[in-house]
Amino acid sequence: MRKVIILFSLIILTVSLSGCLSTQVAQIDQLAEIINEHLNAGDKYFNQAALSTNKYSYYDAQQQCNNATAQYNMAKTSAQEALIYSKNIQNEVYIDYLQITLQEVDAKLNATNELQLAIPLFMNNDTTTANEHVDLANQYMETSLKYQTQREEIVRENPTKFKS
């Protein structure tokens, strides 16, 4: 009788752990979609801000930078949450993917911040300093593209782990 109880307990433990792992993977998948939506929205706002800056529409550019920052921060929060799930299930592929995602988001946040710093400088005709901030923004965005490429490579190398 004792062996049956132990065996039954092991089966229940295995099934419940399996369900937890499955649930956490599903959470990661769902969060990955949310992360990508926020990154795409942030990128659109950032690009609009750059265009508005070029058209001397500084108020619009500031608003678009604020929107980009909000979207990138939501992506960051979701990526941090997904990283916790990844660490819980100890999945190195997801961990690497999400750590790279966080680096990408940080680069985009830095780029947006640099553009935000440039806008009032343009308004005050300090174009030299403003252009230095714009150059930094461009460098951060180039760095973010390298991280994006690394993320895409992880997805290509692990098609069973990522939804298409």
Side-chain angles (χ1 to χ4, degrees), residues 22-163:
S22 172
T23 301
Q24 292 196 12
V25 169
Q27 287 286 7
I28 293 167
D29 287 341
Q30 182 180 12
L31 287 167
E33 289 178 32
I34 291 168
I35 292 163
N36 286 326
E37 288 171 10
H38 288 303
L39 285 174
N40 289 335
D43 290 345
K44 286 179 185 175
Y45 283 122
F46 180 86
N47 291 333
Q48 289 172 351
L51 290 172
S52 292
T53 301
N54 289 336
K55 293 178 181 178
Y56 309 107
S57 298
Y58 299 123
Y59 177 78
D60 291 341
Q62 280 288 6
Q63 291 303 112
Q64 292 155 346
C65 281
N66 291 341
N67 292 338
T69 298
Q71 290 295 322
Y72 292 143
N73 279 327
M74 287 187 276
K76 185 173 185 171
T77 300
S78 296
Q80 289 168 330
E81 183 180 346
L83 184 58
I84 291 168
Y85 290 126
S86 299
K87 288 180 178 179
N88 286 345
I89 62 173
Q90 299 176 353
N91 187 304
E92 290 301 318
V93 172
Y94 288 136
I95 291 170
D96 290 344
Y97 176 86
L98 291 162
Q99 287 174 334
I100 291 169
T101 301
L102 285 168
Q103 291 173 308
E104 177 185 348
V105 173
D106 283 340
K108 290 180 180 205
L109 282 166
N110 288 333
T112 306
N113 184 55
E114 291 297 332
L115 184 56
Q116 281 181 304
L117 292 172
I119 293 167
L121 294 168
F122 280 125
M123 292 169 70
N124 292 326
N125 292 320
D126 185 358
T127 56
T128 302
T129 307
N131 283 326
E132 290 172 4
H133 287 288
V134 168
D135 288 343
L136 284 172
N138 288 335
Q139 289 172 24
Y140 281 122
M141 274 302 178
E142 287 175 16
T143 299
S144 79
L145 290 174
K146 292 176 185 173
Y147 291 127
Q148 181 180 344
T149 301
Q150 289 175 12
R151 275 192 317 122
E152 291 168 352
E153 185 63 27
I154 290 172
V155 171
R156 268 193 302 280
E157 291 173 356
N158 301 279
T160 59
K161 295 216 181 271
F162 297 94
K163 292 182 179 179

